[in-house]
Amino acid sequence: MKVGIVGAGMVGSAAAFALVMRNIAHHVVLVDRDAARAQAEAEDIAHAVPFAGAAVIEAGAYDRLAGADVVILSAGVSQKPGETRLELLGRNAAVFREVVGEVRRAAPEAVLLVASNPVDIMGQITQRLSGLPAGRVIASGTILDTARFRSLLGRYLGIAPQSVHGYVLGEHGDSEVLSWSNARAGTVPLASFAAQMGAAVTEDVRAQIDAGVRRAAYRIIAGKGATWYGIGAGLARIVQAIGRNEQAVMTVSCITPDVLGLRDVALSLPRVVGAGGVSATLWPELDAGETEALRASAQILRDTMDALGV
């Protein structure tokens, strides 16, 4: 499987490293406007290949993306002091006009996987710029938030996070929705499992886990400036599902025709991911509070996109 990555910063390079170390891609190409940075990252990761499997990792121009099955878009500009979120979005949209055009020219058959923040909006912008069907433009969405939810809940219950089945829906951001009402441990509803384990999920426990998920990025950014390992692994997991045609259920973001009465909103729901991208969207059974929170999250995204005027 050949994977291109546009944007060789910490997120892009972490994704490349995960792809190589997990033997997901046999060929990875890093593209960046800072060619020296891309070359350095490619060379550094190449030195890890002997400890993993067989893979070629290189840096190059857009033409080197030819034949890529997936192209990860992790490019973008940083927010300037005093700059509003909409101003930042406008500048990133301008960057993506160039990037998406070059990627589509070089790798017209590739699935586009968006990692640049704010990821839901950037995913919707990418779909509009590319003209691709919605399912072939995927944003990483809440895949990392879902992993955080499962990790913290598994830690509290004393079980592996892989045995926890719970999702974070909506925006990858402050309005995201933890779907407690349908969370399970194995096949057992959460409340029943917690009672059997003697670890009741009280309102205080929920509040602590909610804050742990919702505020995770803020804590990490305060400590080291940015997040990259978690999302890098999440991007690699999505690429694996595409490359191996897994039809895996993941909370990724793409444009949804109708979200509780709101039209054409890009946000995260459980979706079936395989060759070609997203093939189906699954609507979880939510309680009334979660349903209203999901609609509010969708409204925030809809309003932001409308204000951007792309």
Side-chain angles (χ1 to χ4, degrees), residues 131-165:
L132 288 169
R136 281 187 58 194
V137 180
I138 307 172
S140 56
T142 59
I143 192 168
L144 179 54
D145 308 278
T146 290
R148 289 166 174 161
F149 185 28
R150 293 175 176 177
S151 176
L152 292 174
L153 194 49
R155 185 184 304 172
Y156 175 74
L157 296 172
I159 60 174
Q162 292 87 347
S163 295
V164 177
H165 306 288

Side-chain angles (χ1 to χ4, degrees), residues 68 71 73 81 85 99-100 125:
V71 176
L73 305 179
R85 185 166 181 258
V99 168
V100 173
I125 289 171

Side-chain angles (χ1 to χ4, degrees), residues 2-9 12-13 16 20 26-47 49 55-66:
K2 182 175 181 179
V3 179
I5 301 176
V6 180
S13 58
V20 168
H26 76 274
H27 190 178
V28 179
V29 178
L30 295 177
V31 177
D32 197 284
R33 64 193 305 174
D34 183 347
R37 170 67 181 268
Q39 182 61 44
E41 294 288 0
E43 187 173 348
D44 194 12
I45 296 169
H47 297 160
V49 170
V56 172
I57 179 161
E58 61 172 324
Y62 284 103
D63 287 345
R64 297 298 298 160
L65 298 176

Side-chain angles (χ1 to χ4, degrees), residues 36-176:
R37 170 67 181 268
Q39 182 61 44
E41 294 288 0
E43 187 173 348
D44 194 12
I45 296 169
H47 297 160
V49 170
F51 303 111
V56 172
I57 179 161
E58 61 172 324
Y62 284 103
D63 287 345
R64 297 298 298 160
L65 298 176
D69 301 286
V70 179
V71 176
I72 298 171
L73 305 179
S74 56
V77 294
S78 300
Q79 194 164 9
K80 297 177 179 179
E83 185 176 37
T84 68
R85 185 166 181 258
L86 280 178
E87 288 169 341
L88 173 62
L89 274 168
R91 291 200 299 128
N92 266 328
V95 170
F96 265 52
R97 283 189 186 93
E98 176 186 351
V99 168
V100 173
E102 292 287 353
V103 170
R104 290 283 291 133
R105 178 185 59 79
E109 301 304 315
V111 173
L112 304 185
L113 177 52
V114 181
S116 302
N117 277 318
V119 73
D120 301 290
I121 300 297
M122 295 309 299
Q124 188 159 8
I125 289 171
T126 299
Q127 190 278 329
R128 290 188 178 183
L129 292 173
S130 69
L132 288 169
R136 281 187 58 194
V137 180
I138 307 172
S140 56
T142 59
I143 192 168
L144 179 54
D145 308 278
T146 290
R148 289 166 174 161
F149 185 28
R150 293 175 176 177
S151 176
L152 292 174
L153 194 49
R155 185 184 304 172
Y156 175 74
L157 296 172
I159 60 174
Q162 292 87 347
S163 295
V164 177
H165 306 288
Y167 296 100
V168 179
L169 312 173
E171 178 195 20
H172 172 58
D174 292 341
S175 72
E176 64 191 22

